[in-house]
Amino acid sequence: MRIALRTVLCTVGLLLTSVLFPSAAGADNPIVQTIYTADPAPLVHNGRVYLYTGHDEDGSTYFTMRDWHVYSSSDMANWTDHGSPMSLATFAWADANAWAGHVAHRNGRFYWYVPVRDRATGSMAIGVAVADSPTGPFRDAIGRPLVNNGEIDPNVLIDDNGQAYLYWGNPRLWYVRLNTDMISYSGSPTQIPLTTAGFGTRTGNTGRPTLYEEGPWVFKRNGLYYNVFAAECCSEFIGYSTAPSATGPWTYRGTIMPRQGGSFTNHAGVIDFNGGSYFFYHNGALPGGGGYTRSVAVERFTYNADGTFPTINMTTAGPPQIGTLDPFVRQEAETIAWASGVETEPSGEGGMNVGFIENGDHLKVKGVAFGDGASSFTARVASATGGGRIELRLGSATGALVGTCAVAGTGGWQSWSSVTCPVSGATGTHDLYLRFAGGSGYLLNLDWWQFTPGGGSGTDLLANGTMENGTTGWTASGGTLTAATDVAHAGSRSLLNSGRTASWNGPHQNVTARLTNGKSYLTSVWVRSQSGNPSVKATLTVTADGTTSYHQLTPARTAGTNGWTQLTGTTTVSWTGTLTNASFYVETTAGTDGLYVDDASFR
Ligand code: FUB
């Protein structure tokens, strides 16, 4: 299957690319290029967007779908591939049709509701799987269908009062009240009346009472309930209705995404993340794509002042990147804005690796902030053949070459080894292209990569940023600072600031002697909450000639208790007069929740 997609990309793809992707190198939509994906279901959790998708098999002539995939992003431009943690095999009672699902988070667990074909009845049913992590592994929660009425496309809303609802349906539309265990329900499935007032009037494609077709996406925003759905097949557009309660009555509001995109189905998922609103959908835009070989894409949008949706059209550019990517911490090779020619697979060292790499293939990583410069590049590689080269280029796959790493054979595709090569000329923020070169056949596999900052003013101003030396170099501006060994982002220690009494309390470090006036600084720090979900940011306090100013080093991001959130940003620091104090702080925008901090750099 992998090779089939690659072949399509290399042959048919050339023509389609020139139509759909006039500058595929600059495009970020569709989100995934290594396989065909469909039916997006985004979930915001711990400062990341987790994107759950279906998977259209290469060359399909029907909805031939056997597994589901997970991707995640903190910047909406670079997406990390987490592989496939759930397939038809997860449900012993199912035998086909791994179709459009939805993941809900409750009580620290992740519930994935999916339509599959029930082997016993031969008709579609809804199964539910559960996991302790957003990336799985997922297991069948009840060993049988949760509901079984031959209809599809489950979606869950957990209302503010804690009542959860499961919605699904094609051709009808249903809901049932889920119990708090999320794997059973109370009462009977209820049919939502498909009235033209509620779901619109068909002008074509008759045979159904209203525009409603399938794929309900129900959510609540500013007190209003929305049901976004695929409308009036075929081809489908995305319409929506609103209601004053989770159970209606629904009022049809119009079109969000008109018919377009080369797939006769569409399927929407809507989230708010990091201050923006995002609309996920699918189309047939990848080379070889169509109604049964679809790809998930995303657009950023702004609700109208009255809460209605604007019209949203598909683009190849996708949303703007949030912040930048830090090349000086380990980055997974499978964190990608655009992949050309390669595929991903499970890595023997955990997670995924990029593989099946041939001469001329490349990975684009968007918005990489090199700051004052990088001096070297390290890659974790494996090769069962003679290896090849990794060219580091800026701006495009043929852009400025800032380094080349030679990779020799390692004796196997999962025999991992690290290679390092010098880098020069990588300063500022650029799209980074890892371009692979060598002979014929597969060259190498790539698990992760990391740059080392350049010397001189590019060095880190923080001492003990890894926190592996306990509290050395750090002070708390309030509360107690201790070395924590129960949680660590990397290594075995982090810092815990507990007993904070004000939002500005946090671990801080004096950087007065090392700060340069007018210089642009790149900040990266990982944070986690001890309790609650505070909004956390890094700040530089600068006092010069008796005047104190505050430089926001990173945007504030929500930190949770069961995962790490990266704060990152680039800020130019300047002052007038004589500098008497400069302190690097991690703080919250409000509240006094205890804060874990790890792997901080300011350079
Ligand atoms: O992917 C299979 C089916 O196509 C989904 O369940 C529907 O929503 C449509 O997208």
Side-chain angles (χ1 to χ4, degrees):
M1 287 301 172
R2 296 178 180 133
I3 295 171
L5 177 55
R6 181 198 310 283
T7 307
V8 169
L9 290 170
C10 295
T11 53
V12 182
L14 291 177
L15 176 61
L16 291 174
T17 299
S18 66
V19 175
L20 291 165
F21 296 104
S23 61
D28 295 316
N29 265 336
I31 290 170
V32 179
Q33 304 82 37
T34 49
I35 58 170
Y36 295 114
T37 54
D39 303 326
L43 172 76
V44 176
H45 177 68
N46 263 357
R48 289 187 80 78
V49 176
Y50 289 87
L51 173 61
Y52 301 87
T53 75
H55 170 202
D56 284 341
E57 296 290 343
D58 296 359
S60 290
T61 53
Y62 178 61
F63 299 114
T64 308
M65 305 171 79
R66 303 189 182 106
D67 57 13
W68 296 266
H69 286 244
V70 186
Y71 303 85
S72 75
S73 177
S74 61
D75 67 5
M76 299 304 290
N78 297 298
W79 289 86
T80 303
D81 186 335
H82 299 286
S84 172
M86 195 168 87
S87 71
L88 288 174
T90 305
F91 304 96
W93 48 271
D95 66 354
N97 300 351
W99 289 357
H102 181 225
V103 176
H105 176 228
R106 186 166 206 172
N107 301 329
R109 288 188 155 176
F110 300 83
Y111 297 90
W112 200 341
Y113 302 84
V114 286
V116 286
R117 192 174 69 185
D118 184 346
R119 181 183 290 109
T121 63
S123 69
M124 294 301 286
I126 310 294
V128 55
V130 64
D132 297 325
S133 142
T135 55
F138 285 84
R139 61 183 187 283
D140 189 352
I142 53 177
R144 56 182 164 73
L146 176 62
V147 290
N148 194 347
N149 69 353
E151 300 200 38
I152 61 173
D153 291 1
N155 179 265
V156 167
L157 163 78
I158 303 176
D159 209 345
D160 297 340
N161 63 5
Q163 178 62 60
Y165 299 84
L166 176 73
Y167 302 85
W168 77 101
N170 174 353
R172 295 165 294 181
L173 179 58
W174 302 82
Y175 75 85
V176 72
R177 286 184 171 82
L178 290 173
N179 296 328
T180 52
D181 65 7
M182 300 297 275
I183 58 173
S184 62
Y185 58 83
S186 295
S188 302
T190 302
Q191 222 175 305
I192 298 173
L194 289 177
T195 62
T196 52
F199 295 92
T201 305
R202 285 203 175 220
T203 53
N205 304 325
T206 51
R208 300 242 176 143
T210 69
L211 292 171
Y212 176 80
E213 193 77 31
E214 58 183 351
W217 183 270
V218 183
F219 63 98
K220 185 179 186 181
R221 190 174 188 277
N222 295 337
L224 188 63
Y225 295 78
Y226 293 76
N227 183 348
V228 175
F229 56 87
E232 202 183 40
C233 195
C234 291
S235 60
E236 293 174 340
F237 67 91
I238 302 293
Y240 76 113
S241 305
T242 62
S245 84
T247 56
W250 296 97
T251 301
Y252 183 62
R253 296 290 177 190
T255 299
I256 300 174
M257 176 169 273
R259 295 181 166 98
Q260 57 198 286
S263 159
F264 65 87
T265 65
N266 198 351
H267 192 108
V270 185
I271 54 166
D272 283 346
F273 175 62
N274 208 42
S277 297
Y278 295 90
F279 184 87
F280 291 76
Y281 57 94
H282 69 217
N283 61 24
L286 267 195
Y292 300 115
T293 43
R294 300 161 292 178
S295 292
V296 166
V298 60
E299 309 296 340
R300 182 177 168 145
F301 73 98
T302 304
Y303 286 91
N304 297 321
D306 61 359
T308 55
F309 271 88
T311 300
I312 301 172
N313 287 302
M314 302 178 183
T315 75
T316 56
Q321 183 177 10
I322 301 169
T324 53
L325 184 133
D326 183 356
F328 303 120
V329 298
R330 170 177 159 159
Q331 296 290 349
E332 298 304 317
E334 65 273 18
T335 297
I336 300 166
W338 190 271
S340 176
V342 305
E343 292 161 27
T344 60
E345 62 184 352
S347 165
E349 295 197 315
M352 304 289 283
N353 65 255
V354 171
F356 304 91
I357 295 171
E358 293 172 287
N359 182 41
D361 292 347
H362 72 254
L363 300 174
K364 171 189 171 186
V365 186
K366 194 168 182 182
V368 177
F370 293 102
D372 271 2
S375 60
S376 68
F377 170 82
T378 297
R380 190 74 171 162
V381 293
S383 175
T385 56
R389 300 186 307 281
I390 306 173
E391 298 174 355
L392 307 171
R393 294 181 178 273
L394 305 183
S396 78
T398 54
L401 184 67
V402 297
T404 302
C405 252
V407 176
T410 62
W413 293 117
Q414 292 294 327
S415 298
W416 296 98
S417 165
S418 296
V419 293
T420 297
C421 54
V423 171
S424 76
T427 59
T429 298
H430 301 272
D431 294 344
L432 170 67
Y433 285 74
L434 306 175
R435 183 180 181 277
F436 305 98
S440 60
Y442 298 130
L443 302 176
L444 59 103
N445 285 350
L446 181 62
D447 194 11
W448 54 261
W449 56 266
Q450 179 168 358
F451 284 82
T452 303
S457 59
T459 50
D460 201 332
L461 273 63
L462 300 178
N464 184 29
T466 63
M467 319 303 178
E468 295 303 303
N469 292 322
T471 56
T472 303
W474 294 92
T475 320
S477 47
T480 308
L481 197 63
T482 51
T485 53
D486 53 336
V487 291
H489 170 253
S492 57
R493 289 178 172 190
S494 65
L495 281 190
L496 171 62
N497 192 172
S498 54
R500 298 168 63 242
T501 55
S503 63
W504 53 268
N505 288 174
H508 75 101
Q509 205 169 117
N510 191 307
V511 294
T512 315
R514 301 187 290 280
L515 205 64
T516 303
N517 202 352
K519 182 171 149 20
S520 176
Y521 286 93
L522 171 65
T523 303
S524 175
V525 55
W526 290 82
V527 296
R528 183 172 172 146
S529 170
Q530 193 186 27
S531 58
N533 295 289
S535 188
V536 192
K537 60 183 180 171
T539 306
L540 188 75
T541 308
V542 173
T543 306
D545 278 1
T547 302
T548 298
S549 57
Y550 300 92
H551 294 260
Q552 182 90 37
L553 299 178
T554 70
R557 295 190 64 196
T558 303
T561 52
N562 60 354
W564 291 89
T565 298
Q566 185 185 22
L567 309 178
T568 185
T570 306
T571 309
T572 299
V573 177
S574 61
W575 62 87
T576 305
T578 304
L579 180 71
T580 53
N581 183 68
S583 276
F584 175 97
Y585 273 82
V586 179
E587 59 182 346
T588 54
T589 56
T592 57
D593 293 312
L595 274 186
Y596 292 97
V597 177
D598 203 355
D599 292 328
S601 66
F602 179 58
R603 57 170 74 94

